[in-house]
Every structure is written in C-alpha cells, then in structure tokens.
Amino acid sequence: MPIRSLISKARLLSTLQITKCKTSPLPYSSLTQLQVNPPLSDLVNDISRILSDHRSPHHDLEHPLAAYSTKISTSLVEQVLKRCKNLGFPAHRFFLWAKRIPGFEHSRESYHIMVDLLGYSREFALLWDFLIEMRQWKDFDFSPEIFWLVFRAYSRANLPADAIRAFDRMVEFGLKPSIHDVDQLLYVLCKRKHVKHAQQLFDKVKHEFEVSVKTYSILVRGWGDLREWEKAHKVFDEMTERKLDLDLPAHNSLLEALCRGGKVDEAYAAFQEMRSSGVEPDECSYSIFIRAYCEANDIHSAFRVLDRMRRYDLVPNVFTYNCLIKKLCKKEMVEEAYQLLNEMIYRGAKPDSWSYNTILAYHCDHSEVNRATKLISRMVKDGCSLTKHSYNMVLKLFIRYGERVLPSVSTYSVMVHGFCKKKDKLEDARKYFEMMIDEGIPPYSSTVEMLRNKLVALGLLDNIEILAGKMERSTCCSMQELAYAMRGNKSYVRSRAEESELESD
C-alpha cells in the first residue's frame, strides 16, 4: 500500500482542523448528541443556558425558569451557580427565584458559592445588597468565612483598600473580628502582591489582637515574594523582639525571602542560626536553597544541597526536582536528568507532566525522534497523563522531518491510547488509528480493543464497521486478522511478543 505523507497528516492534526472522513456516515461532531447524560447534567446545562441568554435586568427570567420549579434541588442550584461564575446578575436572580419556591431551602454551601460568584464577577454593589439580604433572612447565620470570600474577591480585583474596608464592616453583620480574620485578610492581600497594604493593616491592628507567629510569617513571605528581603527581615526581627516562639515555617519564610532577594549567603547564616536554636530544618528548608542555586545557574551547589538531603533522608518535592531537571536539560546533561527522574520515582516523589515534558522538549529540540517517542511511551507506562503540549512537541518533530521519520506501531499506539483516555479526544484517537491502517502498520490488539470499546460506549457502531472494513481490505495478513477483533471477535489474542514490544517502549 502506498505510504501517505506523514508531514501533511501531522500538519492537519496540529491545526486541529480534521476533516470528516468521506466514507464515514456519522461525523464525530454528532457524538455528543448520542450521549445520554445524567438528568442532573441536562438540567444544569439547560438552566445555565437560560441564565446566559437572560443577562439583562429587562429580560423575563422567571418565565423560562418556571418549567424547572419542580426539579429544583440543593445540588442542582450549587452546580448551576458554579457553572455560571461570570454571570453575577442573572445568577443572583436565579438564587432568589429558587428561594421563593415553596418548601425549598438553599444549602449553606449555596450561600457561600453565591457570595464568591458575585465577587468573582465583580458585582460588588450587588454583593453588598446580597449580604444585607442574608442578614435579614432567618435561615442563615453569618460566619467569618463569608467575609473571607469578600476579602479574596477584592484582592483578586486589585482593590486592597476595599478588602480592608470589608474587614472593618464585619461588626455590622454581628461578627467580631479575630486574629484568624486578620490572618486571612493578610494572606489574600499578600498573595495578590498587595503587601504594602497588608503591612499597613498589620501595623494598625497588631496591638488590638494577639498576633501569632503565623501572622508575622505571612508578611515575611509576602515581602519575600516581592524580593524585598530587607523589609522581610525587619518583620522577622520584630517577631523575635516580641519573643514569640519561632517555628519552622517562620524560619523557612525568612530563608525564602532572603534567597529570593539574592542574599543566599545571608540565608545560609540564618539557616545556621536556626539549627543552633534547636529548630531542625526540613525538606522545605533545603529545597529553598536548591531553587535559589538553580535560579543563579549554579547547578553544582544545587546538587551539593541535594546530596545533603539524601544523607538526611529528606525528599524534595516535585517542584524542586523539576527545577533541577530543567537546569540539567539546559546544560545538555540529559542523562543526569533521567537519573533524577528515576530517583523521583524510587523515592516516592511522583513525577508530573512537567518532569517528563522538560526532557521531551530536549529530545525534540535535538531532533532525537526515537528517544522522544520512547519517553512518550514511558509517560503512559508510568501513569502520567500526556498534556496537549506533549503531543504538540512530538507532532512538530514529525512535521520537521516529514517522510524521513516514520513512526512505529508503539508510537501510534501511545497516541491512540493517550487520546482515548482524554475527554472529547476520541476523534483524534480514531484519526491516528486510521493513519496506522493507511500506512499498513498492524496495531496492537490492545489498541484495537480500547478504541473499539470507546466507540461502542458512544454507540458509534458505523465507525467500527468502517475501520474494520478498511482493515479487511489491507494487503497485510495481520491487519486482516485484526479486523475480526475490531468487530468484537475475541478469538484474536495478543501475543506475548507484542506485549513485550509495547512494554519495552
């Protein structure tokens, strides 16, 4: 059988503009129409569409909602509100409409979702109206967590002064602010880089509340994130002056602030003081130095810290390992990167897609086709989900080399298996499988079985018959036999040799 141009296929897939197979009577775009969703999902979709279509205050929203009044449940309301995160005004109207249904009561979670939703969509005037309404309802008791959502909404909207004013208004709703509320407000302010406002609030209220080490540590970390190491150290010194019992997280906050500010030597001195004061460093303490050395492009010092962690049987987290792997690949030390990948698995720090994709990018940049496809196979074998980035890198590699690079059965199988496991990617899996048939490459029977089961589950029996027919017309005997497996004949059993080949990749 003549071999199609792989380069044209790869380009076709990479643009995600896959045309409908001329011989297929049932396009994949119709798959969703054949699926029978759970009733709750249907209701969530229908009501969410109504809210999206009735955004204006002049729209008659209650009339289209009336048909669903007998189907309303707390679970349905919660899911609709979560779905309509950007539809603050119609979601609020829907909430009030549901509340008026006789016998229905909102869950406490629904109130929280509604407050968060109005804040997320920046409907702050409506948010305060809703809070005032809530204060009047007898079926709801205010808790500080409601205001924590308000703090977060204003901080996310870059309105730190309004977040602080919301803290001052807690008393209007029968809530006496505590140090926990202060900590929450400081945390969300610092997380959004509003550290100056957080510091001003802290200086204002630190004598009104019994501030803790946690409170100070939030500010130390906040200044550290801005690389303001001097201000971070000043807050830490104030903590020691107040003779608070400094814990490990407090020390780690200072170490990170100093390292982020480029003061690694000062951080090491603080590290020594920490140990002399009886506070033993943990894996986080050492990892701070590893990331700092990686950022400073000092890979040898980073590995000295890693060796020390090994001696103390401390395991870095995945993020720290990934920093090392990325630095090794940039320094053309890919074999050492593989050693770290193996170490992660051995020591229980399960690699994520970033761990593999960093090495995969190295292979693709260096046009190492075989190693790239083997790493893709390993990702599947190790149980790591392939990302869109993973597929795109390999596709670009094939595009670059065109017909000079012919993928093997294992390469195709990895792509088919990977897409079969992803939601709404069955069409991509089918296209790769069809490419195998057209190239005359017999697929693994496990690949046939997986694709067939997916198609059967969606009622696409016509697609199964089309693929089986193409396999029957192949000049390859193995392909013809596999046509029986595609139709559900269990007599064709995968050989041990096939299993070994799949596992070896």
Side-chain angles (χ1 to χ4, degrees):
M1 171 177 284
I3 298 177
R4 289 187 182 178
S5 171
L6 181 60
I7 183 171
S8 63
K9 295 170 187 171
R11 283 174 179 157
L12 188 65
L13 288 170
S14 63
T15 57
L16 297 180
Q17 294 176 341
I18 303 169
T19 58
K20 183 178 72 173
C21 179
K22 292 182 179 179
T23 58
S24 174
L26 184 61
Y28 186 73
S29 60
S30 64
L31 294 184
T32 53
Q33 298 174 7
L34 298 176
Q35 297 184 48
V36 181
N37 294 321
L40 184 60
S41 299
D42 286 342
L43 291 172
V44 172
N45 291 336
D46 292 345
I47 295 176
S48 298
R49 193 176 299 111
I50 290 172
L51 298 187
S52 180
D53 294 341
H54 297 75
R55 305 186 185 198
S56 170
H58 305 293
H59 287 154
D60 180 8
L61 181 60
E62 294 196 7
H63 179 70
L65 286 177
Y68 300 92
S69 60
T70 59
K71 302 179 179 66
I72 288 296
S73 65
T74 54
S75 178
L76 175 60
V77 171
E78 290 173 9
Q79 292 193 38
V80 169
L81 294 179
K82 289 177 181 177
R83 176 78 64 85
C84 301
K85 208 167 185 180
N86 291 308
L87 302 175
F89 184 76
H92 177 245
R93 292 180 67 189
F94 166 70
F95 186 97
L96 296 180
W97 169 82
K99 186 175 177 59
R100 291 193 294 270
I101 295 176
F104 176 78
E105 289 186 5
H106 285 294
S107 66
R108 188 169 189 83
E109 179 68 12
S110 293
Y111 285 99
H112 284 231
I113 297 171
M114 191 68 239
V115 170
D116 190 44
L117 186 155
L118 291 172
Y120 184 86
S121 56
R122 302 192 180 192
E123 297 276 3
F124 292 113
L126 190 57
L127 170 59
W128 283 106
D129 288 343
F130 183 64
L131 292 174
I132 292 171
E133 288 175 323
M134 289 168 60
R135 185 174 59 186
Q136 297 170 351
W137 292 329
K138 296 180 180 180
D139 59 347
F140 183 83
D141 293 325
F142 265 92
S143 66
E145 287 78 12
I146 286 290
F147 274 85
W148 295 358
L149 296 172
V150 179
F151 301 160
R152 186 174 67 180
Y154 276 123
S155 298
R156 186 169 47 213
N158 293 318
L159 297 169
D162 290 297
I164 294 173
R165 278 192 283 271
F167 171 80
D168 294 333
R169 291 190 64 178
M170 290 180 69
V171 293
E172 297 178 24
F173 295 83
L175 298 171
K176 182 180 180 180
S178 69
I179 187 58
H180 301 297
D181 303 311
V182 174
D183 288 347
Q184 282 291 326
L185 179 53
L186 293 177
Y187 174 76
V188 295
L189 289 172
C190 290
K191 187 177 181 180
R192 292 289 172 173
K193 312 298 183 186
H194 306 303
V195 188
K196 182 179 178 181
H197 287 83
Q199 184 70 59
Q200 291 172 349
L201 171 68
F202 175 77
D203 291 337
K204 175 185 174 183
V205 304
K206 64 184 177 182
H207 299 297
E208 301 175 21
F209 299 91
E210 190 175 347
V211 294
S212 64
V213 172
K214 178 182 177 182
T215 312
Y216 277 99
S217 297
I218 292 170
L219 285 171
V220 173
R221 189 174 294 273
W223 285 120
D225 289 341
L226 295 182
R227 302 182 186 273
E228 296 275 3
W229 68 271
E230 291 177 316
K231 293 179 180 178
H233 212 310
K234 182 179 179 181
V235 175
F236 186 86
D237 290 341
E238 181 180 324
M239 185 166 32
T240 58
E241 289 168 5
R242 296 189 67 165
K243 300 188 183 303
L244 295 175
D245 188 15
L246 304 184
D247 56 11
L248 182 58
H251 284 285
N252 285 344
S253 296
L254 177 63
L255 296 179
E256 188 153 19
L258 292 171
C259 285
R260 281 180 174 270
K263 299 295 179 180
V264 182
D265 291 339
E266 288 82 348
Y268 184 72
F271 178 85
Q272 295 293 81
E273 287 182 21
M274 176 179 81
R275 299 196 69 179
S276 63
S277 65
V279 179
E280 280 300 314
D282 63 356
E283 58 272 7
C284 179
S285 313
Y286 288 99
S287 295
I288 290 168
F289 287 96
I290 291 178
R291 295 194 294 270
Y293 285 128
C294 284
E295 189 174 337
N297 206 31
D298 187 354
I299 192 69
H300 297 294
S301 295
F303 268 88
R304 280 200 298 270
V305 178
L306 180 61
D307 287 337
R308 194 169 178 182
M309 293 185 71
R310 290 164 177 160
R311 288 198 298 271
Y312 288 111
D313 198 27
L314 296 173
V315 182
N317 60 22
V318 175
F319 177 71
T320 304
Y321 268 120
N322 287 350
C323 288
L324 287 165
I325 290 174
K326 183 178 181 180
K327 189 58 62 176
L328 287 170
C329 288
K330 282 190 175 182
K331 288 184 171 292
E332 306 282 323
M333 301 170 68
V334 71
E335 299 306 326
E336 289 81 354
Y338 270 106
Q339 291 174 12
L340 273 190
L341 193 65
N342 294 332
E343 178 182 316
M344 292 175 70
I345 297 172
Y346 177 76
R347 304 190 72 190
K350 187 178 180 181
D352 59 11
S353 59
W354 285 97
S355 315
Y356 291 94
N357 282 347
T358 302
I359 302 177
L360 182 63
Y362 174 90
H363 291 318
C364 291
D365 290 342
H366 290 74
S367 303
E368 297 174 351
V369 179
N370 290 335
R371 299 199 71 179
T373 54
K374 283 185 177 181
L375 185 59
I376 287 282
S377 299
R378 176 174 173 173
M379 289 179 71
V380 175
K381 183 179 178 182
D382 291 348
C384 180
S385 297
L386 282 79
T387 64
K388 184 178 179 181
H389 186 47
S390 311
Y391 292 116
N392 286 342
M393 283 191 287
V394 176
L395 282 171
K396 287 178 182 177
L397 184 59
F398 288 159
I399 291 170
R400 193 184 315 142
Y401 276 83
E403 291 183 344
R404 287 177 291 163
V405 177
L406 294 178
S408 65
V409 58
S410 61
T411 306
Y412 275 123
S413 296
V414 166
M415 303 300 269
V416 173
H417 282 249
F419 280 124
C420 277
K421 292 177 180 177
K422 286 187 172 293
K423 185 179 181 181
D424 300 329
K425 291 293 182 180
L426 185 56
E427 171 67 357
D428 293 324
R430 190 185 67 80
K431 282 292 182 181
Y432 269 107
F433 188 88
E434 195 168 1
M435 286 167 65
M436 292 179 73
I437 300 174
D438 293 340
E439 299 291 0
I441 301 175
Y444 296 139
S445 60
S446 60
T447 307
V448 175
E449 184 179 358
M450 172 175 275
L451 180 59
R452 182 185 186 280
N453 289 341
K454 289 288 183 180
L455 293 170
V456 168
L458 293 176
L460 298 177
L461 304 183
D462 289 343
N463 279 347
I464 292 174
E465 184 56 37
I466 290 167
L467 292 174
K470 294 190 73 171
M471 295 165 76
E472 272 184 338
R473 294 189 294 273
S474 172
T475 57
C476 174
C477 294
S478 297
M479 188 83 76
Q480 293 170 2
E481 292 180 9
L482 283 164
Y484 293 102
M486 177 56 76
R487 289 194 172 99
N489 190 323
K490 301 295 184 180
S491 61
Y492 188 90
V493 181
R494 180 174 59 178
S495 68
R496 180 59 205 166
E498 178 186 311
E499 292 178 351
S500 299
E501 185 182 351
L502 182 60
E503 290 169 2
S504 68
D505 287 328

